[in-house]
Amino acid sequence: MPLPPLPKRLGSTLDAQSVRATNSSKKTASAAKKAAPAPKPASVAAPSVPVSQPSAVATAEVQTTTPAPAKRTERRSTPPTSAAKKPIRSSKRNQAHKLFVLDTNVLLHDSNSLFKFEEHDIYLPMMVLEELDHQKKGMSEVARNARQVSRNLDGLVGDNTLDHGLPLNALGNIEAKGLLFFQTEAMDADLNVKLPLGKADNLILNVVSALKQTITDKDVVMVSKDINMRLKAKSLGLLAEDYLHDQVLDDSDLLYEGARALPDDFWRKHGKKLESWQQAGATYYRIHGPICNQLHVNEFVYTEGEQPLYAQVKEVTTSTAVLATIRDYSHHKNNVWGITARNREQNFALNLLMNPDCDFVSLLGPAGTGKTLLAIATALTQTLETRLYSDIIITRATVPVGDDIGFLPGTEEEKMAPWMGALEDNLEVLHLGSNNQKGGSNNSSTENSRNSTMELIRSKIQIKSMSFMRGRTFLNKFLIIDEAQNLTPKQMKTLVTRAGPGTKIVCLGNLSQIDTPYLTEGSSGLTYVVDRFMGWPHSGHITLQRGERSRLADYANDAL
């Protein structure tokens, strides 16, 4: 019986190595024929050439002596769906490759999150697209992110069909090397726990479970900012992770503090080649030693003891650093609008706030450390006395601590007035301080003078809402951003980039009082700017440690 003809596609499927193996097997078979007796017609030995799709006749009559090689397929050429009958076996090349299923809150939190997963693939369930459609209306940050995500998806899809993966770098994001898959059919999974399918989160979990049961060549991981969603996924045996690309630091304790204590043997190790000189009322030291490459420009260093030193780093190289002594604002003669520094960190903060060459200052610290008071006192001094700035602008994130009280009547400043209670309290402290210095008389002329002073102060202070900051440019302004821990990195960038020539921006906040959903100490906009501005010659940062409000507030901050 003649051998069946080889398929026409055999030449296109065999590479050079297969051809060599085929020739070798043919020679072996022919040698075996010569040595062995002629076989019976009913059992014709088939060649060892791998046949990809033999016909029915060939399957019945040909005995295969070697197993056919696996069909060569291009990696990630088909979308992961539940329609696949046979699971794909994992290979060593793509064991680290993952398929991330994104929850809706990830896309609403960061509109560019699609391009932050490097070489891994992304899968979007149909329910995620449905929730994006519900969130796209409005002028909020969430609505803007939803619209931007929809535009990104539309650009990625283009004229392509959704039955295969779409490259995520199609819009120019070269760091995204994976593929984007959409859910194109209904998917059912056998869950250990019966979940009501009327809830969007449960439908997404059902899709993740179905993908896990279908795909075996990569890990299927759900990414969500919702803690409960991740807990439900892990209880069902699914892999779940938080979206960590917005995390500036894993631990807030590692955040740059802006000041450091010098070691006890500092002068012994760094005083051998010491150079010193005086300039503009300050003493400068050029030091050499191992600590120089650890310092940052505008960082404060100090030693306490018999010969205390409080200095600021002015210049840093690989082996040298220049330190300059700072002004002592704890002395009454150096008071700022009647305010003096009560501790070391406040003294450092006043040196930054009163430095006209420092364009950006960030102050961190718990409640009662004097962040707002120091910022307003320096703003009034440099606006009304030295006239370095023309106006003071104060804004903050309008995030309530408890239930929202609803819409507020009046103009922009009247609507912002309830959010500016800290401003009123500190203005009252500053006003009373100036009255005490004048003797505290209670005659009518003095009272009228006080009222006129307060009117002048209020005329120089503008209270602005963050909702109307986009597109503005501030010239020669002293801008104070209060409660900056409630801002996202994108909102912080929007505010800081409003600064024009001669403008100083001061960010105040407490990372332990974050009220914005999905923001943590590591992903807050305040943490973001502190880390990004570290070491810039025209910026400075100080973390205030000690509360100065009252002994009751200090004890409550520690005990409660």
Side-chain angles (χ1 to χ4, degrees):
M1 179 183 295
L3 295 176
L6 297 177
K8 296 181 179 180
R9 291 186 298 172
L10 180 60
S12 60
T13 57
L14 295 178
D15 52 13
Q17 183 177 2
S18 300
V19 172
R20 288 195 299 268
T22 302
N23 295 334
S24 173
S25 61
K26 284 183 176 181
K27 293 179 180 180
T28 305
S30 59
K33 279 185 177 181
K34 294 178 180 180
K40 296 181 181 180
S43 60
V44 179
S48 59
V49 179
V51 180
S52 57
Q53 292 181 356
S55 61
V57 176
T59 305
E61 298 181 359
V62 177
Q63 294 180 356
T64 305
T65 58
T66 59
K71 183 179 180 181
R72 298 177 60 193
T73 57
E74 188 176 344
R75 185 173 66 89
R76 298 182 285 119
S77 59
T78 57
T81 60
S82 61
K85 298 296 183 180
K86 298 180 180 179
I88 304 174
R89 295 180 181 179
S90 60
S91 60
K92 294 182 179 180
R93 183 179 62 178
N94 55 10
Q95 279 183 350
H97 196 78
K98 297 180 181 180
L99 177 68
F100 289 105
V101 183
L102 301 189
D103 195 3
T104 313
N105 48 49
V106 175
L107 301 174
L108 298 179
H109 177 73
D110 183 3
S111 58
N112 292 321
S113 58
L114 289 170
F115 314 108
K116 306 299 184 182
F117 291 88
E118 299 179 347
E119 75 277 7
H120 304 289
D121 296 338
I122 293 177
Y123 189 93
L124 294 182
M126 186 62 66
M127 182 51 63
V128 171
L129 301 179
E130 185 73 17
E131 290 187 312
L132 283 177
D133 186 64
H134 289 308
Q135 298 289 344
K136 67 181 181 181
K137 299 179 181 179
M139 299 301 296
S140 63
E141 186 73 17
V142 172
R144 283 192 289 268
N145 288 340
R147 292 192 293 268
Q148 182 61 41
V149 171
S150 298
R151 286 190 286 266
N152 291 338
L153 293 177
D154 182 63
L156 291 173
V157 173
D159 297 331
N160 301 313
T161 59
L162 302 183
D163 55 352
H164 62 279
L166 305 176
L168 286 167
N169 57 5
L171 299 180
N173 303 90
I174 58 176
E175 69 277 5
K177 302 177 182 179
L179 298 178
L180 173 65
F181 297 101
F182 291 86
Q183 181 183 357
T184 57
E185 61 180 12
M187 304 177 69
D188 295 326
D190 297 330
L191 300 177
N192 298 330
V193 180
K194 190 67 175 179
L195 296 177
L197 298 180
K199 191 174 181 180
D201 290 353
N202 296 338
L203 293 176
I204 297 175
L205 290 174
N206 186 75
V207 172
V208 177
S209 180
L211 290 173
K212 179 186 176 183
Q213 297 173 11
T214 304
I215 301 173
T216 59
D217 67 330
K218 65 187 78 173
D219 291 334
V220 179
V221 184
M222 188 195 70
V223 182
S224 176
K225 298 293 294 181
D226 189 351
I227 298 177
N228 290 333
M229 182 74 162
R230 299 198 300 268
L231 291 176
K232 291 168 64 176
K234 292 179 180 179
S235 65
L236 295 174
L238 306 176
L239 297 178
E241 296 179 2
D242 189 8
Y243 179 67
L244 300 177
H245 190 273
D246 58 342
Q247 298 285 340
V248 181
L249 295 173
D250 296 335
D251 190 356
S252 60
D253 294 336
L254 303 177
L255 186 64
Y256 173 63
E257 294 186 356
R260 73 171 64 201
L262 295 175
D264 296 335
D265 57 350
F266 171 75
W267 292 115
R268 181 172 57 84
K269 289 186 176 181
H270 301 79
K272 296 181 180 179
K273 300 179 180 180
L274 181 66
E275 304 175 29
S276 64
W277 67 94
Q278 290 189 351
Q279 180 181 346
T283 303
Y284 288 78
Y285 300 95
R286 185 183 302 276
I287 61 174
H288 302 74
I291 199 175
C292 295
N293 57 3
Q294 304 176 14
L295 301 176
H296 302 280
V297 178
N298 287 337
E299 185 179 11
F300 292 92
V301 295
Y302 61 91
T303 58
E304 294 179 340
E306 297 180 358
Q307 296 180 348
L309 172 68
Y310 300 96
Q312 187 178 15
V313 181
K314 294 297 184 181
E315 181 183 333
V316 175
T317 62
T318 54
S319 59
T320 64
V322 176
L323 309 180
T325 57
I326 60 176
R327 191 171 186 178
D328 184 15
Y329 284 99
S330 61
H331 198 281
H332 183 69
K333 67 178 182 179
N334 296 328
N335 71 86
V336 179
W337 204 264
I339 298 298
T340 58
R342 294 189 178 184
N343 55 57
R344 181 180 58 238
E345 285 76 19
Q346 285 190 357
N347 189 27
F348 295 158
L350 287 174
N351 275 272
L352 290 175
L353 293 170
M354 294 297 293
N355 185 3
D357 195 46
C358 197
D359 300 333
F360 181 86
V361 178
S362 54
L363 301 181
L364 282 179
T369 51
K371 302 182 297 295
T372 308
L373 181 64
L374 297 177
I376 295 177
T378 54
L380 292 175
T381 300
Q382 297 175 88
T383 302
L384 297 178
E385 292 184 0
T386 63
R387 300 185 182 277
L388 186 61
Y389 306 101
S390 59
D391 292 295
I392 303 170
I393 298 178
I394 302 179
T395 185
R396 59 163 289 176
T398 54
V399 180
V401 177
D403 295 334
D404 198 348
I405 62 175
F407 293 102
L408 300 174
T411 61
E412 178 186 357
E413 291 197 1
E414 291 174 345
K415 291 177 183 295
M416 290 295 296
W419 300 98
M420 292 298 170
L423 169 64
E424 298 296 331
D425 297 340
N426 287 280
L427 285 179
E428 183 179 354
V429 172
L430 295 173
H431 188 50
L432 291 176
S434 61
N435 292 339
N436 294 335
Q437 291 180 355
K438 295 178 180 178
S441 58
N442 293 323
N443 53 49
S444 59
S445 60
T446 305
E447 188 67 25
N448 293 334
S449 176
R450 294 173 185 169
N451 294 334
S452 62
T453 303
M454 284 301 297
E455 290 179 2
L456 176 62
I457 292 174
R458 294 183 183 278
S459 66
K460 289 294 183 178
I461 299 178
Q462 302 178 21
I463 301 174
K464 296 297 181 182
S465 173
M466 287 179 48
S467 303
F468 309 105
M469 288 295 184
R470 192 179 297 276
R472 297 198 59 182
T473 301
F474 300 121
L475 304 176
N476 298 320
K477 309 293 185 184
F478 195 103
L479 175 60
I480 300 176
I481 305 175
D482 199 10
E483 304 296 337
Q485 76 275 1
N486 288 320
L487 300 179
T488 64
K490 186 177 180 180
Q491 291 173 328
M492 184 64 73
K493 179 181 178 180
T494 301
L495 290 177
V496 176
T497 53
R498 301 305 99 204
T503 294
K504 189 186 192 78
I505 295 182
V506 179
C507 291
L508 314 174
N510 180 10
L511 292 178
S512 62
Q513 294 181 350
I514 297 178
D515 303 314
T516 304
Y518 303 131
L519 274 187
T520 61
E521 295 181 358
S523 61
S524 171
L526 184 56
T527 307
Y528 180 73
V529 293
V530 170
D531 184 73
R532 292 299 188 270
F533 278 97
M534 179 178 58
W536 187 49
H538 301 286
S539 68
H541 167 74
I542 281 296
T543 300
L544 302 174
Q545 306 288 349
R546 179 177 163 187
E548 299 291 348
R549 180 170 291 169
S550 67
R551 59 187 180 187
L552 173 60
D554 294 343
Y555 180 77
N557 190 49
D558 295 334
L560 299 182

